[in-house]
Amino acid sequence: TDSIFLFNVEENREVLGHRFYLRAVDNEGKRDPVPKWTFFAVRNNCVPTSRFIVAEAFGRTADDRDTVRTLTSTNPFMPTDTIPAGWGLRFSWVGSDCDRAISPEGRIETVGQVVGFDHKLVPIELNWLRGTATQISATYAAADLRSETYEMLVRAVDDGGLVGSDPARRTFVWNKDP
């Protein structure tokens, strides 16, 4: 006879695949010594992440030396980084996608990949700018900036269309009077 089998998986439990075994038993109770099996994979879909590898301001000091300052602030309400007037900004980033599946051989494999990034420098860019997976940087000249509090945001987009829900963030003040 045939049967339907249901598999229950807890909502917060990670299950990447199932191996289902079937063994024949005859009417005398003799069992097939070598059960047959089939495997089916289950994907673990997770939201892609991004992080800055460069977040810096660059310019000249009063004594005419080229200088770079790393931006580390992430607080959108009270940035701790202040950039002098006349300085530009450079950002570059990377992303990762942890979607995984289990192969028929039982190996856990990473199957997801980042296919693009969204970024914006608020308040200059109100909408997200979409780029490919190889477009991983942005530079802003001093002429593009004004005395203001800024927030640079970057989020990864994966091959399944998921967009990072917690963007990488850097906040700073550019030449704002006290």
Side-chain angles (χ1 to χ4, degrees):
T1 62
D2 61 12
S3 300
I4 295 175
F5 298 92
L6 300 176
F7 296 94
N8 292 322
V9 178
E10 297 172 26
E11 189 173 316
N12 62 353
R13 188 145 184 226
E14 181 179 308
V15 175
L16 299 177
H18 298 281
R19 186 172 287 186
F20 184 77
Y21 292 90
L22 180 66
R23 180 185 303 250
V25 180
D26 69 15
N27 57 353
E28 295 178 4
K30 292 184 181 177
R31 296 174 176 226
D32 182 357
V34 181
K36 300 295 180 196
W37 61 271
T38 188
F39 177 86
F40 53 96
V42 177
R43 285 183 65 137
N44 172 34
N45 290 319
C46 62
V47 177
T49 59
S50 56
R51 67 179 173 81
F52 287 104
I53 52 176
V54 172
E56 62 189 16
F58 60 93
R60 290 190 169 266
T61 59
D63 59 356
D64 207 29
R65 287 185 299 142
D66 289 332
T67 304
V68 173
R69 285 191 194 164
T70 300
L71 303 174
T72 59
S73 177
T74 58
N75 186 328
F77 305 108
M78 297 185 67
T80 56
D81 292 321
T82 301
I83 311 305
W87 284 34
L89 302 165
R90 276 189 289 258
F91 300 96
S92 65
W93 50 83
V94 294
S96 62
D97 185 15
C98 64
D99 290 351
R100 296 179 292 167
I102 192 163
S103 72
E105 297 78 30
R107 289 186 315 272
I108 296 175
E109 299 176 354
T110 300
V111 295
Q113 61 182 343
V114 172
V115 296
F117 293 95
D118 293 342
H119 73 277
K120 64 180 173 178
L121 180 61
V122 178
I124 292 176
E125 298 155 343
L126 300 178
N127 297 315
W128 291 98
L129 303 175
R130 174 74 45 105
T132 66
T134 58
Q135 294 170 315
I136 56 167
S137 65
T139 301
Y140 298 89
D144 300 331
L145 306 171
R146 61 182 183 268
S147 182
E148 186 68 64
T149 300
Y150 290 90
E151 183 174 32
M152 179 64 172
L153 301 168
V154 175
R155 59 187 188 184
V157 180
D158 74 8
D159 54 341
L162 289 173
V163 178
S165 56
D166 187 21
R169 172 187 325 264
R170 288 296 183 265
T171 59
F172 56 94
V173 175
W174 193 84
N175 186 37
K176 190 156 184 156
D177 295 331

